[in-house]
Amino acid sequence: MSLWLRSCQRCGLNNNTVVRMRFYCPRRTRSKLQLTTGGTRRCSTVQVQVQGEVRVRFAPSPTGFLHLGGLRTALYNYIFAKKYGGSFILRLEDTDQSRLVPGAADSIEDMLEWAGIPPDESPRRGGPVGPYLQSQRLDLYSETALQLVKSGHAYYCFCSPQRLELLKKEALRTGQTPRYDNRCRHLRADQVHEKLANEVPHVIRFRLEVGVEPFQDLIFGWNRHEVAEVEGDPVVIKADGFPTYHLANIVDDHYMKISHVLRGSEWLISTSKHLLMYRALGWQPPTFGHLPLLMNKDGTKLSKRQGDIFIQSFQRDGVLPAALLDITTNCGSGFNTNRMGRRIDELISEFNPSKITTHSALLDLDKLPEFNRNHLQQQIEDEEQCLLLIKDLQGQIKQTYAAEIQDKDVLHEEYIRRVLFFRKGHISSLKELLSPNYSYLWVRPSFSSQQVAALTAEARHIASLVLRLVEEQGGELAVDQLNKDLKTLAKQAKATKYTEVMKLLRLALSGLQKGPSVAELMVSLGPAEIIHRLQKLLKLPETS
């Protein structure tokens, strides 16, 4: 298997560095990438071989609930895995114990399953390389950190929080970026032993070294960030014994045999740091691909403070999982073409990693109802999916109108199926069918004799004509034929115009003054329910 991708978008190399590498171009000619002083870039297309088992992971922190940005990262990982016959792993990075949100861990997996992108391995499902909660893997991180200390790639740091805060304040005062000054990397061995013996609080820091090698990102091309020149040595084990992200993620990726890391572009600058750790441990790093950010349509960053970006809120509002996946991929890149209405199997088959661009994806949630309408129509037209919708709607109807339903026939499968087919393309979600505008479908409407009298004095006569028409149809009602028959029927009224006849029938059948055509109302309700509702007109006294 192979992926085609662009190769030289932003490298991050020093201006005095020249790197020459050879690749195979899809035109079967050898081409060079040369980065020189002044930023000369010659772009080429690189064929990246995907060899062996593909294993990708989605590794959120349960310090909050799953939101759209996280869902999109999980989705691209899922699609990538399924495209290349691999595995999609959910790993929960719960090492920041002070910020954990109760219920968030379970909710994240619930939402992935709801969205139709369930993990192959996870805390809930288990798997061969678990546990999949970082808080249950602490011994592994400690062993790795000690290995780095013994090899000289890490060291104990005894600086107090007060000293670190003073360093930060001084840097800010002088207009510099706060960074650790690496003081403890220069301690003698005897000083370290003495402090450890006296149980002085400490962390373990990784020793950043100059000489970062460039790496090829699947999306951003060749990159290199000389982190030792701009950062202090990072903490890898905190004072409480828990690892930081920088250590835990590479340890887990290594032992979980992750082949490709697809994560947000905000981690791009940290990758060189992580590669230094891989090199220090003698491990082969995975292939990296950094996904561009998902942003609001005006270019502002999605914020967790926007309550409507959490997946649970979309689920609560009746958004279909397929529509949510469709809109988050449609606004971005990674596909040969963009079109509305793609299901997950189509997203997988049409996925092309080389088409993922570096610019941010602008999400227009105002278009979500249109996407939902499209996918709802698809599901109504699919027999298996339609049955699921019917069962879902049955439950919602009982919950919303339990005490008001006069006839349980409105809960029957065939009745609800008929309603769905006549409303497909008109509604954006099942929840719309539970709104007051559609309550007539489940509850017989009420109307007054004054409302009827305002329309016509021939209500009983018109009702009799319609009832006879329904009986003559023999239970087989069709919209086109009913439209013709109702026009003919209206001519039999002595002093009531066609428009008033339609208003009367609409009032009796739905209690509303506007909505679907009367013919559509009749077909949706069916002969038995039409008869029930029009009989009320027969009981009204005729007026002159």
Side-chain angles (χ1 to χ4, degrees), residues 23-24 41 48 52 158 206 229 234 236 247 264 328 331 376 382 441 493 508 534:
F23 321 97
Y24 281 104
R41 295 180 176 88
V48 177
F158 303 92
F206 178 74
E229 295 182 357
V236 290
L247 178 68
T328 54
C331 73
L376 183 57
D382 180 276
L441 291 167
L534 292 184

Side-chain angles (χ1 to χ4, degrees), residues 390-428:
I390 291 169
K391 289 180 180 179
D392 185 5
L393 192 51
Q394 283 172 332
Q396 293 190 53
I397 295 166
K398 291 177 185 177
Q399 186 175 357
T400 306
Y401 293 106
E404 303 171 67
I405 295 174
Q406 296 102 328
D407 193 331
K408 299 297 183 182
D409 285 350
V410 298
L411 295 172
H412 287 179
E413 179 183 315
E414 284 310 310
Y415 179 81
I416 295 178
R417 184 191 304 275
R418 194 163 63 241
V419 168
L420 289 174
F421 267 85
F422 275 95
R423 288 294 86 203
K424 71 178 183 180
H426 297 280
I427 57 173
S428 295

Side-chain angles (χ1 to χ4, degrees), residues 53-191:
E53 183 183 8
V54 169
R55 290 175 60 82
V56 298
R57 48 76 165 177
F58 174 52
S61 171
T63 53
F65 295 93
L66 186 64
H67 57 87
L68 268 179
L71 179 69
R72 177 171 172 268
T73 300
L75 174 59
Y76 274 85
N77 274 277
Y78 179 90
I79 292 173
F80 188 92
K82 301 311 169 185
K83 179 78 173 184
Y84 299 103
S87 298
F88 170 54
I89 293 102
L90 172 65
R91 181 177 76 225
L92 295 178
E93 301 192 339
D94 62 341
T95 55
D96 192 346
Q97 296 283 295
S98 63
R99 295 177 56 225
L100 295 183
V101 173
D106 285 335
S107 177
I108 288 171
E109 194 156 357
D110 287 342
M111 290 301 97
L112 292 179
E113 292 176 355
W114 171 81
I117 52 173
D120 299 300
E121 303 169 26
S122 70
R124 183 178 297 167
R125 292 171 180 254
V129 293
Y132 295 87
L133 282 168
Q134 285 189 336
S135 59
Q136 297 175 6
R137 301 168 64 86
L138 298 183
D139 288 346
L140 191 57
Y141 309 132
S142 296
E143 291 170 9
T144 306
L146 289 176
Q147 179 182 339
L148 288 171
V149 171
K150 290 178 182 177
S151 64
H153 291 100
Y155 58 91
Y156 294 101
C157 173
F158 303 92
C159 291
S160 67
Q162 292 79 9
R163 179 178 187 275
L164 297 176
E165 183 62 26
L166 287 174
L167 282 177
K168 179 180 178 180
K169 288 182 178 179
E170 179 62 19
L172 293 174
R173 187 186 67 80
T174 57
Q176 298 178 4
T177 301
R179 55 184 289 186
Y180 178 56
D181 60 0
N182 299 345
R183 176 183 181 180
C184 287
R185 71 150 67 181
H186 306 294
L187 291 175
R188 299 189 310 274
D190 61 314
Q191 293 175 305

Side-chain angles (χ1 to χ4, degrees), residues 368-386:
L368 185 55
E370 183 181 357
F371 277 81
N372 216 53
R373 184 183 303 111
N374 183 295
H375 282 275
L376 183 57
Q377 182 166 340
Q378 287 186 41
Q379 293 189 14
I380 291 171
E381 293 170 352
D382 180 276
E383 177 62 27
E384 185 178 339
Q385 293 292 321
C386 188

